[in-house]
Amino acid sequence: MTALPKNFLWGGAVAAHQVEGGYNAEGKGLSVADVMTAAGNYGERQITDGVQPGEFYPNHDAVDFYHQYPEDVKLFAEMGFKCFRTSIAWTRIFPQGDETEPNEEGLAFYDRLFDACLKYNIEPVVTLSHFEIPYHLVTEYGGFRNRKLVTFFTRFATACFKRYKDKVKYWLTFNEINNQIDYDRTFSLFTNSGVQIKPGENAEAVMYQAGHYEVVASAIAVQEGHKINPDFQIGAMIAMTPAYPATDKPVDILKAQRAMQARFWFSDVQVQGRYPSWLTRYQKAKHFALDITDDDLAQLEKGKVDYLGLSYYKSFAVAAHDDEDDYYSYNETNDVVENDKVPHSDWGWEVDPRGLRYSLNWLNDRYHVPLFIVENGIGAIDKLTDDHKIHDQYRIDYLRDHIEQMKLAMIDDGVPVMGYTPWSAIDIVSASTGQLSKRYGFIYVDRNDDGKGSMARYKKDSFYWYQHVIETNGDDL
Ligand code: P53
């Protein structure tokens, strides 16, 4: 093989809460994203107690995709997208999360959106839970620390599968389910699981419980989905951030191995249908009182995913600490160290294209299932010129370098990759910072961090570059 497969799924990705706006339109309920403020470049977003007057919530309007999607999808078609990855905002379908009947107006919105895509032969790729858990499930149930969320999620998933069974073939259950391995970071547990840690609680144990209920919910959804349409391709989705040993010291190598095991236990379970042996022992040794039943384990075995979706932005370096007696534990907040061997983005993210080839090979060796790169991109400051151009050569360079490595993994190494949907199709609200100025899109949106701007759309230089990449099926980068 010297070229990419003809049916390779080129596209672009976003998530509902980061583009739609319309946060309370047509019966939509509040999600976790609706109670998060904006932060500066290195700060953390504040999570407020419900929606507070006088605070600015960037996701409430986002980039107005809820209203402007017909024109936006037309621009995606102009770029030549074969697929478009977005999520279904759970709170449009079940506004509080615990209702038994879905909200028809919410369902109808996604019918219109998917029809708009299919009109241009753009295949929707749909994430069910992308950092937008109903806020009511946080306040009433404590989020995914509560087993009831398994029922609520599978009810939501089943409603979507039934409604869109003839429109959507590619599904993903939980976005970047493994981010919460960084359990000391409030943002990760809140956005992944709707979990807030109480004083005195062991955050690591709560993460393992919430993560368990999620992999069970995912496994049940996979089985339900396949009953509704056997052609469905239902995937897991992880943030593929490989952890390198900071040095060649054996303790750093052990640390990196455990980091990889810890970061990817979620996909181990979702792809292989069972817990890795180290983790079962680790959880016992730590005396975490976890609710993991035999029936759960049977569900995991029956609900293996069809493929693995991944985001790839950056790599990590990890190091053991001198005062550690157990070098075989992992705490992301403490163990990640600066990697000065690679350049960094304006937001301090490691830029490491070869890490993508490494990652694809690593995942293929471990899982032997098709892979789908459903996010890859760089957040950068874009400058809109007076004649409405955006010369984003840095974005073109980043994406080209990564596509080159993806091609090496596919063509030289034989790794099966189904498609590539860079982040993001259009400018979005950054998940971690809430900024508009951390731009990712091929399409510029005139909207600023302070909530001002006309919401007009402009094509960046990368728009035309990517159009040509798709046209040549990745031959001419
Ligand atoms: P932002 C952490 C590590 C890798 C990807 O991120 C991550 C995160 C969480 O911030 O998130 C994914 O907007 C996520 C998207 C997000 C994108 O990467 O924080 O799936 O929702 O926008 C970029 O710069």
Side-chain angles (χ1 to χ4, degrees):
M1 185 172 76
T2 53
L4 297 183
K6 288 245 165 341
N7 59 355
F8 189 72
L9 288 167
W10 295 102
V14 298
H17 72 283
Q18 290 174 272
V19 291
E20 286 176 4
Y23 83 106
N24 59 5
E26 298 188 283
K28 181 181 171 299
L30 286 182
S31 81
V32 293
D34 293 321
V35 298
M36 292 171 75
T37 63
N41 281 23
Y42 290 98
E44 287 277 325
R45 303 177 73 174
Q46 297 304 307
I47 299 165
T48 58
D49 194 5
V51 170
Q52 295 295 329
E55 290 285 357
F56 174 60
Y57 298 98
N59 297 83
H60 286 192
D61 298 313
V63 297
D64 198 35
F65 186 72
Y66 190 70
H67 300 106
Q68 305 200 29
Y69 74 88
E71 296 80 40
D72 292 339
V73 171
K74 200 169 165 208
L75 290 169
F76 303 158
E78 191 182 326
M79 262 186 284
F81 281 17
K82 316 272 187 224
C83 71
F84 169 56
R85 173 178 178 239
T86 189
S87 59
I88 292 179
W90 190 338
T91 49
R92 290 200 194 282
I93 314 302
F94 291 98
Q96 305 280 304
D98 57 359
E99 298 90 343
T100 49
E101 293 306 318
N103 169 32
E104 175 54 34
E105 287 171 294
L107 287 168
F109 168 69
Y110 292 101
D111 270 322
R112 296 196 295 275
L113 173 59
F114 299 148
D115 288 342
C117 293
L118 294 168
K119 191 172 90 183
Y120 297 106
N121 292 318
I122 297 175
E123 186 103 53
V125 176
V126 174
T127 317
L128 288 162
S129 183
H130 192 135
F131 305 172
E132 41 209 11
I133 293 171
Y135 184 58
H136 175 75
L137 298 184
V138 177
T139 53
E140 283 303 303
Y141 300 90
F144 262 97
R145 69 169 72 227
N146 189 324
R147 185 181 276 278
K148 290 204 177 98
L149 274 272
V150 175
T151 308
F152 301 145
F153 174 80
T154 49
R155 189 180 291 155
F156 161 57
T158 304
C160 295
F161 291 151
K162 282 192 178 146
R163 177 74 170 222
Y164 309 117
K165 67 177 186 326
D166 300 320
K167 296 183 181 174
V168 178
K169 177 175 168 192
Y170 297 99
W171 299 89
L172 296 153
T173 53
F174 289 90
N175 184 64
E176 292 188 337
I177 188 169
N178 63 327
N179 269 350
Q180 58 196 314
I181 195 64
D182 197 2
Y183 49 82
D184 280 340
R185 200 174 154 214
T186 309
F187 170 85
S188 311
L189 274 174
F190 189 64
T191 52
N192 270 153
S193 300
V195 162
Q196 292 180 294
I197 297 299
K198 300 167 194 153
E201 242 181 354
N202 182 331
E204 189 181 14
V206 178
M207 177 275 292
Y208 278 118
Q209 185 64 70
H212 174 71
Y213 289 146
E214 282 159 16
V215 290
V216 171
S218 172
I220 295 172
V222 167
Q223 296 169 69
E224 291 303 312
H226 285 154
K227 275 186 232 158
I228 292 162
N229 184 344
D231 291 337
F232 277 172
Q233 293 288 305
I234 309 174
M237 195 310 200
I238 51 165
M240 184 60 205
T241 309
Y244 303 147
T247 74
D248 54 7
K249 280 195 293 193
V251 287
D252 286 345
I253 292 173
L254 275 180
K255 177 67 75 182
Q257 183 174 55
R258 180 47 49 94
M260 292 297 269
Q261 289 174 323
R263 286 189 59 74
F264 302 110
W265 75 265
F266 303 85
S267 41
D268 288 351
V269 175
Q270 290 178 292
V271 177
Q272 299 170 335
R274 56 178 162 72
Y275 268 81
S277 58
W278 74 270
L279 182 54
T280 311
R281 284 161 198 233
Y282 177 81
Q283 291 173 338
K284 271 207 191 90
K286 291 273 177 178
H287 304 292
F288 296 154
L290 299 177
D291 169 32
I292 299 178
T293 66
D294 288 345
D295 182 57
D296 291 346
L297 299 179
Q299 297 291 353
L300 296 177
E301 177 66 40
K302 286 186 287 187
K304 290 182 226 170
V305 292
D306 300 309
Y307 70 99
L308 181 60
L310 62 131
S311 67
Y312 181 84
Y313 291 89
K314 57 184 172 184
S315 55
F316 285 154
V318 298
H321 304 283
D322 288 340
D323 56 350
E324 259 181 296
D325 47 24
D326 165 19
Y327 296 102
Y328 224 26
S329 63
Y330 181 60
N331 176 304
E332 196 145 295
T333 301
N334 292 334
D335 296 340
V336 170
V337 294
E338 188 74 21
N339 182 357
D340 60 14
K341 308 284 192 298
V342 295
H344 293 74
S345 76
D346 290 344
W347 273 262
W349 290 27
E350 294 81 358
V351 175
D352 176 16
R354 283 198 179 85
L356 177 58
R357 182 179 186 178
Y358 171 82
S359 295
L360 294 171
N361 273 281
W362 189 86
L363 291 169
N364 186 45
D365 290 347
R366 194 175 183 92
Y367 295 133
H368 312 287
V369 292
L371 304 174
F372 195 160
I373 303 170
V374 294
E375 290 182 30
N376 173 231
I378 186 164
I381 305 269
D382 288 337
K383 200 177 158 302
L384 182 66
T385 63
D386 291 341
D387 56 349
H388 297 148
K389 301 269 191 305
I390 303 92
H391 302 302
D392 56 343
Q393 188 58 41
Y394 37 90
R395 183 167 294 107
I396 295 173
D397 292 342
Y398 178 99
L399 294 172
R400 174 195 292 125
D401 291 350
H402 285 77
I403 295 173
E404 259 167 17
Q405 295 297 320
M406 173 187 80
K407 285 172 65 181
L408 287 169
M410 292 177 71
I411 297 169
D412 289 18
D413 307 331
V415 178
V417 181
M418 300 156 63
Y420 177 76
T421 58
W423 190 268
S424 48
I426 183 168
D427 284 345
I428 47 100
V429 176
S430 157
S432 59
T433 72
Q435 292 168 301
L436 252 303
S437 54
K438 190 179 186 186
R439 294 180 184 273
Y440 283 92
F442 296 113
I443 299 163
Y444 184 94
V445 179
D446 179 19
R447 171 87 172 171
N448 302 318
D449 288 343
D450 58 5
K452 299 208 175 83
S454 66
M455 295 282 192
R457 273 69 167 145
Y458 302 106
K459 300 172 201 171
K460 303 183 190 178
D461 287 357
S462 57
F463 179 104
Y464 300 102
W465 170 80
Y466 192 47
Q467 182 181 52
H468 184 69
V469 171
I470 299 179
E471 218 166 63
T472 62
N473 200 28
D475 280 350
D476 189 6
L477 301 177

